Amino acid sequence: GAVVSQHPSWVICKSGTSVKIECRSLDFQATTMFWYRQFPKQSLMLMATSNEGSKATYEQGVEKDKFLINHASLTLSTLTVTSAHPEDSSFYICSARMRTGSLNSPLHFGNGTRLTVT
Amino acid sequence: DAKTTQPNSMESNEEEPVHLPCNHSTISGTDYIHWYRQLPSQGPEYVIHGLTSNVNNRMASLAIAEDRKSSTLILHRATLRDAAVYYCILYAGNNRKLIWGLGTSLAVNP
């Protein structure tokens, strides 16, 4: 149980275009989803926290107009990278906390999306 | 946010036990100790977590020092599939964020 599906697993796009990444909790409801970015040989960097039905909370230094997050239902959150540039190329990972979980419950992660901007 | 310190890398032989240490000297009373691991090109996978008492599950055991300033993740019999980066993280429920360090890269030799 507790499966998080992330799609697509990889995407290549041209500079200036937008890319949408989906994160779905398949067998549980998630009130909170987190979006991370990971550059090669580095750790995960939290980008934003999204709660179902409300606006996402972005970490310092993350542009909210560039990285649009929508968490419209208890099972789906999307991250749209708008006007992508080569420096946005990275590994994007989502995670979700079960609706029935406590604040200290483990997080469940998607398998990540490798974005390459040419 | 309290930080953790882990060795950059460790090596083990297949079918031998592995002890992965983590120091967290500034841990607060409400911080849980979480362990995740990440295989290459995949998202992290939950391994185990605890607060004060030692914990066991089907994947591993977590030994927590009495003063909670350090902990050890124990893989009882390492397999090649256990080769991954292991992250020790303090999870303070009140801020809901996981602070990720660089973790320990575990290599398992056949």
Side-chain angles (χ1 to χ4, degrees), chain A residues 32 34 36 38 41-44 46 49 51 59 91 93 97 103-112 114, chain B residues 30-32 34 36 38 41-46 49 87 91-103:
Chain A
T32 305
F34 303 87
Y36 293 86
Q38 186 177 33
K41 297 191 184 297
Q42 294 188 22
S43 192
L44 281 74
L46 180 65
T49 302
N51 291 295
E59 294 299 304
F91 192 51
I93 308 168
R97 179 191 291 120
L103 295 180
N104 286 304
S105 295
L107 295 182
H108 305 282
F109 288 82
N111 267 335
R114 175 78 57 194
Chain B
T30 56
D31 286 339
Y32 277 73
H34 282 240
Y36 291 80
Q38 186 177 23
S41 298
Q42 292 190 26
E45 174 188 27
Y46 166 75
H49 78 290
Y87 296 96
Y91 195 7
N94 57 356
N95 70 8
R96 308 186 184 193
K97 290 196 294 188
L98 293 180
I99 306 300
W100 299 77
L102 290 175

Side-chain angles (χ1 to χ4, degrees), chain A residues 2-17:
Chain A
V3 177
V4 175
S5 174
Q6 194 171 334
H7 179 82
S9 56
W10 60 271
V11 58
I12 301 172
C13 71
K14 292 186 176 180
S15 187
T17 62

Side-chain angles (χ1 to χ4, degrees), chain A:
Chain A
V3 177
V4 175
S5 174
Q6 194 171 334
H7 179 82
S9 56
W10 60 271
V11 58
I12 301 172
C13 71
K14 292 186 176 180
S15 187
T17 62
S18 296
V19 173
K20 180 184 283 189
I21 302 170
E22 291 188 349
C23 179
R24 293 180 185 271
S25 54
L26 296 186
D27 50 3
F28 66 98
Q29 292 182 326
T31 47
T32 305
M33 287 188 174
F34 303 87
W35 286 95
Y36 293 86
R37 181 167 52 182
Q38 186 177 33
F39 292 105
K41 297 191 184 297
Q42 294 188 22
S43 192
L44 281 74
M45 295 297 295
L46 180 65
M47 298 176 68
T49 302
S50 75
N51 291 295
E52 184 263 339
S54 61
K55 289 184 178 180
T57 302
Y58 290 82
E59 294 299 304
Q60 191 172 8
V62 178
E63 300 175 57
K64 63 180 182 180
D65 294 330
K66 180 170 182 62
F67 298 99
L68 301 178
I69 292 172
N70 184 282
H71 191 164
S73 77
L74 287 172
T75 60
L76 173 65
S77 176
T78 61
L79 167 68
T80 301
V81 183
T82 63
S83 186
H85 289 95
E87 58 265 30
D88 298 323
S89 298
S90 187
F91 192 51
Y92 292 86
I93 308 168
C94 71
S95 69
R97 179 191 291 120
M98 282 187 175
R99 182 184 187 187
T100 54
S102 69
L103 295 180
N104 286 304
S105 295
L107 295 182
H108 305 282
F109 288 82
N111 267 335
T113 297
R114 175 78 57 194
L115 170 63
T116 302
V117 184
T118 61

Side-chain angles (χ1 to χ4, degrees), chain B residues 4-5 9 13 15 19-20 23 36 38 41 60 65 70 78-79 90 94 99 110:
Chain B
T4 62
T5 304
S9 62
N13 295 320
E15 301 202 357
H19 290 231
L20 298 165
N23 288 320
Y36 291 80
Q38 186 177 23
S41 298
S70 65
T79 70
L90 301 182
N94 57 356
I99 306 300

